[in-house]
Amino acid sequence: MTSEPIFRRAGRPPDGAPNIVAIVLDDTGFAQLGCFGSDVATPYMDRLAAGGLRYNRFHVTALCSPTRASFLTGRNHHAIGMGFLADIPLNHHGYTARIPRSAATLPRILRDGGYSTLAVGKWHLTPRFERSAAGPFDHWPLGVGFERYYGFLQGDTNHYAPNLVQDNHYVDPPATPEQGYHLTEDLTDRAIRYLDDQRHAAPGKPFFLYFAPGAMHSPHHVTPEWVEPYHGRFDHGWEAWREETFRRQRAAGVVPPGTTLTPRPDWVPAWDGLGADERRMYARQQEVFAGFLTHTDAQIGRLIDHLAETGRLDNTIVVLFSDNGASAEGGVAGSVNEHRFTAGIRESLADNLAHHDDWGGPRTYNHYGWGWAWAGNTPFRLWKRYTWLGGTRTPLIVHWPAGIRARGQVRDPVVHVNDLFPTLLDAAGVRAPDVVDGIDQQEIDGASLRATFDDPAAPAPRDTQYFEMLGSRSLIHGRWKVTTDHVSTGVLDEEDLLTGSRSFEDDHWALFDLSADFSEATDRAADHPGVVAELRRLWDREAERNHVLPLFDNLVERFGAFIGPAWPAGDDRTYRPGASPVCDESLPMLFGGFRLSAEVEATADPDGVLLALGDWNGGFALFVAEGRLTFTFSRAGEPLEVTADRPVPAGRQSLGVLHTTGPGGSAFHLLHDDTVVGALTFAGLLPVALQHGGAGLRLGHDTGLPVSDRYRIPSSWNGRLLSVRLRTPGSGPIDPRTELRAALHAD
């Protein structure tokens, strides 16, 4: 017996500690919010800016997973293993895609300090092959400190039929597109519900809400009523829109006097040189993007209004930022279905025009042409994935009525996303511990920028920050920035059209004086070779310290370091109905051939889906319609469909499809037991990735969006399904470039 109490009470933050809401937008450029110069309506975000601060020299890592990891840990992204995307984990220190336990996250520290911790939306910090129903769950949101989670794990998803996760398990959306479902609205509903649950159960307890809608990442999904107000708004083209936006930026003080608007590069088409159909299609792409952004703003407004209505907005610090600059992954033409790229199908104006009227609807997985990405990053060069300012400088809004006296002002110190971690802990009055779970914590790279909240003259918290993404490198040190002209691989149009170096040895390091050159417009390298040499040495030092090396701009020479699944799928698997959908990462690879068979007992009038994965944007389904077995494979929206030449008989049997490849071409063969009852030959191969946002193999039914128009959702097999067997000849070699491109388009 001991008289000492054994119960350790939970942590408690200081009295009056603020709530924290982090709103993380995706692929949103510096110039795309109204409060940063755009004419796209974003009244709620503008209201946050008017009641708080805008930071016009805020920097991120140029890509999604790395920026989010840096925000949640306060460390440089390579230093915590997130040098690239979570989808491509490599056995190199800076690229494992696994946040180490030596970098305890913001939700973990706040939770231990007495906060409720809630996450809603895009995650993209769980490494590939750890996203199935078997986990492991260490790098899912609940594994790193959040207490509740609702959202999606991959880099993007279908906003009409998302691949959703609740806490540590997959769930179906609560409604269908026909019932008015949209992911951003659902995420907002869930965030409000979580906040109410927390308020009812623990009144007065502060919370940290991480709210990360999939917007503005492609697909730019939004219903027509949000697009209609923008009809005709962008008919004058991206150059004119960019010039108008630049004028508004100068008038609002978002860019300082004397800023240069960088010129249009040769690889962005001149609007006046386009044909009428091209201009019509490009304008439509931007109209839909604008409607999607205004819709997203309205959902953010619902969340902010809820905080105000419940009396919690005044003492809530809201930080809103984008994870990288606007995205050019739609290429020159834009894409009606981004899965086409991974499937090796070239974009075309004709295909895009065929979907002009329903662009942004459930039949599309759309992205705009890169001229709008260039315009969205006004006044900077380039875009996402490059460490030019177009990739790394994005909007930051900070709103905290109880803690910031200034209203509507612009702050101009150079800050980085890793500075937000210590800033929010500083505001919360919670100290970052030196040891967590017995593990010494690595150095925090960020520094608090809280002094800038009320002092516009407060200096930047740090004077040096390196950047690296897919071989694109830069460094800010004091007034200077050096930036390479390196062009990475992975996006076909960029490989063909962008000017710049394709070799690390030939890279040119441009030098910019950021104190006089806000937009990185004038290269001063020839005037100051000594400064360039000094900053290159400093970049090398930072790269060594943060595990950036060895450098790579593609996966071909590094694919031997790819971290594969701990429990590989194998080449002969049997699945039984009744369980959750089987994660696509747990399935054998299909592109080299397969035999897929369902053991069934059929009724006298058989009907329904036997198995399905994905949807009409990319996926496959084996089903019975009008009494006949059918297999449909959507190759990035291109339907390959074969129907049996005879009805399915009643009784027990095997129904299946055999996929063959060879010198004579590719084919699907429908099977009743071992009898071929239908065949389809086709050119080309099947894609490696069917759904960028991931998908599950559903047995005996299908939900969400269908793979084929020959059945309606929801659809269930009306007989008995005993099992499904999938056999492949072996995984075979995977093209690293295809893997890289699929990952880039999913981010």
Side-chain angles (χ1 to χ4, degrees), residues 272-555:
D272 290 344
L274 298 172
D277 281 344
E278 290 176 301
R279 292 196 297 269
R280 184 166 68 94
M281 189 66 244
Y282 284 135
R284 177 64 174 175
Q285 292 171 1
Q286 179 69 353
E287 289 168 8
V288 170
F289 176 87
F292 187 32
L293 179 55
T294 299
H295 174 263
T296 302
D297 178 80
Q299 309 319 306
I300 291 171
R302 289 175 54 214
L303 178 63
I304 298 302
D305 284 347
H306 178 77
L307 291 172
E309 290 163 4
T310 54
R312 296 197 285 181
L313 181 60
D314 189 61
N315 196 30
T316 295
I317 179 170
V318 178
V319 294
L320 183 151
F321 62 93
S322 174
D323 59 7
N324 45 244
S327 166
E329 277 132 24
V332 177
S335 177
V336 67
N337 184 346
E338 269 207 294
H339 300 100
R340 292 166 60 95
F341 190 91
T342 309
I345 301 172
R346 280 276 188 179
E347 307 296 349
S348 75
L349 175 62
D351 290 341
N352 287 346
L353 281 171
H355 286 275
H356 177 280
D357 293 343
D358 66 339
W359 196 269
R363 283 283 186 177
T364 68
Y365 210 92
N366 55 308
H367 201 316
Y368 55 18
W370 71 20
W372 292 117
W374 168 69
N377 292 323
T378 301
F380 308 126
R381 308 188 197 197
L382 273 176
W383 38 59
K384 172 184 176 181
R385 291 174 289 102
Y386 289 91
T387 62
W388 292 82
L389 292 180
T392 63
R393 189 175 285 180
T394 71
L396 169 65
I397 299 170
V398 181
H399 180 274
W400 184 18
I404 300 175
R405 292 189 298 273
R407 299 287 186 271
Q409 297 181 12
V410 175
R411 294 285 186 264
D412 62 0
V414 173
V415 295
H416 189 267
V417 66
N418 61 26
D419 295 321
L420 296 179
F421 173 94
T423 302
L424 294 174
L425 289 179
D426 184 6
V430 175
R431 187 183 68 84
D434 298 324
V435 178
V436 176
D437 293 336
I439 298 174
D440 291 336
Q441 298 295 287
Q442 62 194 72
E443 178 184 358
I444 294 171
D445 297 300
S448 176
L449 55 93
R450 190 178 178 187
T452 69
F453 286 177
D454 285 317
D455 182 1
R462 297 175 297 116
D463 67 353
T464 303
Q465 178 63 49
Y466 83 92
F467 301 85
E468 189 279 336
M469 192 56 62
L470 281 169
S472 177
R473 288 153 289 155
S474 64
L475 179 130
I476 293 174
H477 181 64
R479 60 187 273 206
W480 298 106
K481 182 175 188 278
V482 285
T483 308
T484 67
D485 64 344
H486 193 85
V487 178
S488 62
T489 62
V491 177
L492 196 60
D493 284 351
E494 290 182 2
E495 294 176 13
D496 292 344
L497 299 175
L498 261 64
T499 58
S501 169
R502 267 67 174 177
S503 164
F504 291 130
E505 293 75 19
D506 296 335
D507 288 353
H508 170 67
W509 290 75
L511 177 69
F512 304 97
D513 181 357
L514 296 184
S515 66
D517 182 5
F518 179 84
S519 61
E520 202 176 30
T522 304
D523 182 6
R524 305 290 303 279
D527 302 327
H528 301 281
V531 176
V532 174
E534 177 191 354
L535 267 61
R536 288 188 63 174
R537 286 192 296 271
L538 186 54
W539 190 94
D540 289 342
R541 187 193 75 185
E542 290 295 290
E544 182 71 26
R545 182 176 72 88
N546 286 281
H547 306 289
V548 178
L549 307 175
L551 281 177
F552 76 101
D553 62 354
N554 64 69
L555 294 184

Side-chain angles (χ1 to χ4, degrees), residues 555-573:
L555 294 184
V556 176
E557 73 277 13
R558 297 276 299 274
F559 207 73
F562 188 71
I563 301 173
W567 301 93
D571 54 16
D572 189 348
R573 297 288 301 276

Side-chain angles (χ1 to χ4, degrees), residues 210 579 673 731:
Y210 180 78
D673 293 320
S731 60

Side-chain angles (χ1 to χ4, degrees), residues 137-160:
F137 301 102
D138 308 58
H139 297 101
W140 290 42
L142 269 60
V144 299
F146 286 109
E147 296 166 311
R148 297 305 310 272
Y149 173 68
Y150 184 78
F152 58 100
L153 296 182
Q154 277 87 354
D156 75 13
T157 195
N158 192 309
H159 296 272
Y160 297 112

